Amino acid sequence: MPPVARRTALAVALAAGLAGTVHAAAPTDRPWMDRSLPADRRAELIVAAMTDDEKFRLIRSDFGLASDKHGVPEGAVSGAGYVPALPRLGLAAINETDAGLGVNKPGIDGKGAISLPAGLATAASFDPAVAHAGGRMIGGEARGKGYAVLLSGGVNLVRDPRNGRNFEYAGEDPILAGTIVGAAVKGIQERKILATVKHFAINDLETGRNTHSADIDPVALRESDLLAFQIAIAHGDPASVMSAYNRINGVYAGENAWLLTDVLKKEWGFKGFVMSDWGGVHSGAKAAMAGLDQESAGEVFDKEVYVDKPLRAAVASGEVPKARLDDMVRRIMRSLFAHGVIDEPTPVKPTVAVPYAADRVVARDALEAGAVLLRNEGALLPLARKGQSVVVIGAHADKGVLAGGGSSTVTDEGGDPVPGLEPTGWPGPVRYHASAPLTYMQKLGGKVTFDPGTDPAAAAKAAAAADVAVVFVTKWAAESYDAPDMSLPDGQDALVAAVAKANRKVVVVLETNGAVKMPWLGDVGAVMQAWYPGSGGGEGIARLLYGETSPSGRLPVSWPKDEAQLPRPTIQAAGLNAKDKPADDIDYNIEGADVGYRWFEKTKRDPLFAFGYGLTYTTFAYSDFAVGTDAAGHPVAHVTVKNTGRVAGADVPQIYVAAPGGAMRRLAGWSKVSLKPGASRRVDIPLEPMALARYDDAGKRWRVAPGTYKVKLARSATDFAGEATLEMKESFPVVKAP
Ligand code: GLC
């Protein structure tokens, strides 16, 4: 027994003797199992007791799935990562799986899972409670399926609507994205498993992600993508941060000392551990000294397992101090102790049934809160419960709803109702979730028929014979590639145009990865963005279309008219299986921190739809807008919101601020207010100080300059309903948990 443990054991025995009967203390030979000790102390104790081999074992995970290198590791629950048990230390095996929308592998009960709608839908809810509930749901399923780590928390900013992974993220604004993802991470970890935030940092395009350098001024990076991570980490306290594949200003994220050590660990005080992305490690000593703590599945995805032989040699030679190796292990162990997976190991047998039906309702509610009504001419929506014939057209709406592709794709617990769609191989398979809009629309509406939409003429004929036509359109997107353009594929524009010619009452429901071009927009009555709707999506869409609930989502992204409005109108080598070579560098200095609505303001252009925009079935009025400070001197906006319509609904009054001299507007706060018809409520909206501040690189701190700030009450980033001024003294705010 190592000396440290013997001394502690003696102390514990003495204490027990003196104090009479005490609760069963930790086994004397494993003082780290004493739950009364803080996680940091427990981590110190266990690291002190470890052999070198145990340490080197813990700073890498193995690939938990079969590959050309090996089968599913002995004892693993198939998933992205696996760290074998260390019985001598009393450590159970750790199984890791993807991802941020739900559990992507069957787990110990061998079933599918429930998928949340796209992260963009949860962000569009503008409601951290929705994100938190979604996190608790997928975290519960992960634990119930035997996983201790859920590789969740995608919080890269949406800088381009064509990025293949936007559906995993939370939009273009760092304060909204960080707040939403932080709440999701908090919810996941309440289920006593570890969450991550990823991909650190500025992995904002998929094309060439493993090699390209994201080039951006460090201050602009801090005021955009890094601010989203900083807020998500402060709000969610993630156990781990996953470093990205790409380089940042020429240095790989996984060996970027400025990013991982100076910013994340020193300035932000991050206590968890940095894991690599799968295939994102390019060195042993350099990565370890830069701040990487665990190599993920290196035996399959890296040129070699850099943190084994190469790092052992570096430690033996003194190139890497032993203290750094201990720090790597200590961070991992601290997270495991802090989030309960050591004290309550995840089940190895399906002990408690996963509540899939209840979880599907959570997914439905998230979609209902995050679908965005973009157009509703002549109050075409909501559809009438009776006396109105409807034809549903296209997108397999008789079977289910589309999911995005890649490592985050969940196989629905109800199976995949539309199997075999290309690509069936990576980054496919293309998955649909077993929640058919048609089924639920038929329950809610009168006569509701279906046309597959494969023949525009037949669809037009069906539309002509119905009172209303509801056309579902899709655009699949996936990890590992970006779309070359913003167009809908597979002739769907022609389908919508043909239907619109046959019937003036047309509703289009989008199932896409974000903004797309809509050449038929002026010819249709209503458009709803349902994102990738998730496992409750069919029911949620039906309930929204029939007015069971009123749409309340607001766009978490600006909606460009076309690619010409973007900072980079073309993406070199974009597209699935593109042949040409990706760009070595992505110049993010074009927009810098002026992402999304700030880019449109800077370039004096109007998007098709603005960030924060969304319609509903009722109307809201604002009155008595004022801005002040609370008892602690923090700025707060106040406004009375009234539901002036005839149905219940939820509004999202937003607050944007502009620094003295009229610099860029930034979202500083918002509130989601649900009101019955005629009801009103006075809401207080705290302003996030970081929206008033600029990053001062010299001082290595955020600084609010003294002066008069413009504060705007708004319905979107371009639709203002009130203005006030706010006098601010100089201050140096820090990002903190709500
Ligand atoms: C992937 C993704 C990451 C995922 C990991 C494990 O390539 O970039 O988001 O968690 O590998 O599947």
Side-chain angles (χ1 to χ4, degrees), residues 122-270:
T122 298
S125 76
F126 275 74
D127 189 346
V130 170
H132 181 257
R136 283 184 59 83
M137 186 274 276
I138 62 175
E141 293 208 349
R143 172 170 270 274
K145 286 168 159 292
Y147 297 103
V149 182
L150 190 58
L151 302 165
S152 49
V155 70
N156 295 102
L157 293 188
V158 173
R159 289 177 178 261
D160 191 311
R162 299 163 294 184
N163 172 13
R165 297 187 84 171
N166 288 337
F167 69 93
E168 293 185 58
Y169 303 147
E172 70 190 33
D173 179 84
I175 293 173
L176 175 66
T179 303
I180 290 293
V181 173
V185 163
K186 192 168 184 308
I188 291 168
Q189 296 188 149
E190 284 175 1
R191 312 297 279 208
K192 294 188 187 306
I193 62 166
L194 279 62
T196 58
V197 289
K198 66 186 186 182
H199 305 84
F200 194 57
I202 196 166
N203 176 179
D204 294 356
L205 276 181
E206 288 299 291
T207 307
R209 64 175 177 165
N210 295 84
T211 52
H212 75 230
S213 177
D215 299 335
I216 184 167
D217 169 79
V219 172
L221 179 58
R222 284 180 181 271
E223 294 185 341
S224 54
D225 282 68
L226 292 193
L227 180 56
F229 274 95
Q230 196 173 1
I231 293 171
I233 290 166
H235 289 202
D237 184 24
S240 179
V241 168
M242 185 190 295
S243 55
Y245 286 124
N246 53 282
R247 291 176 288 142
I248 295 112
N249 297 323
V251 180
Y252 278 110
E255 50 191 41
N256 194 310
W258 172 78
L259 186 72
L260 303 182
T261 296
D262 298 349
V263 174
L264 177 64
K265 294 180 177 179
K266 288 186 177 162
E267 282 181 45
W268 296 355
F270 179 62

Side-chain angles (χ1 to χ4, degrees), residues 620-622 639-643 651 653 673 675 679-683:
F620 293 96
Y622 298 144
V639 63
T640 299
V641 184
K642 178 170 184 162
N643 181 339
D651 190 35
V673 191
L675 291 169
S680 63
R681 187 179 311 147
R682 185 150 184 77
V683 291

Side-chain angles (χ1 to χ4, degrees), residues 286-338:
K286 184 179 178 190
M289 293 307 288
L292 183 74
D293 300 307
Q294 190 178 64
E295 180 174 3
S296 305
E299 85 285 1
V300 172
F301 294 98
D302 290 326
K303 287 202 179 70
E304 63 175 302
V305 182
Y306 288 100
V307 301
D308 195 17
K309 285 202 185 68
L311 187 59
R312 285 175 184 264
V315 170
S317 71
E319 182 188 356
V320 172
K322 194 91 190 291
R324 175 61 191 119
L325 171 65
D326 287 352
D327 178 51
M328 295 165 78
V329 184
R330 189 168 39 247
R331 284 175 173 273
I332 295 164
M333 294 313 305
R334 180 197 183 280
S335 285
L336 292 170
F337 283 122

Side-chain angles (χ1 to χ4, degrees), residues 369-389:
V372 181
L373 183 59
L374 299 172
R375 181 182 172 88
N376 191 21
E377 296 299 294
L380 175 55
L381 290 176
L383 301 173
R385 292 296 298 270
K386 47 181 182 296
Q388 186 180 60
S389 65

Side-chain angles (χ1 to χ4, degrees), residues 160-164 166 482-486 563 566 568-571:
D160 191 311
R162 299 163 294 184
N163 172 13
N166 288 337
D482 304 311
D485 54 49
M486 290 175 61
E563 301 84 353
L566 297 170
R568 287 159 292 280
T570 54
I571 303 170

Side-chain angles (χ1 to χ4, degrees), residues 545-558:
L545 292 178
Y546 279 95
E548 293 296 290
T549 50
S550 196
S552 63
R554 299 290 186 274
L555 287 178
V557 289
S558 305

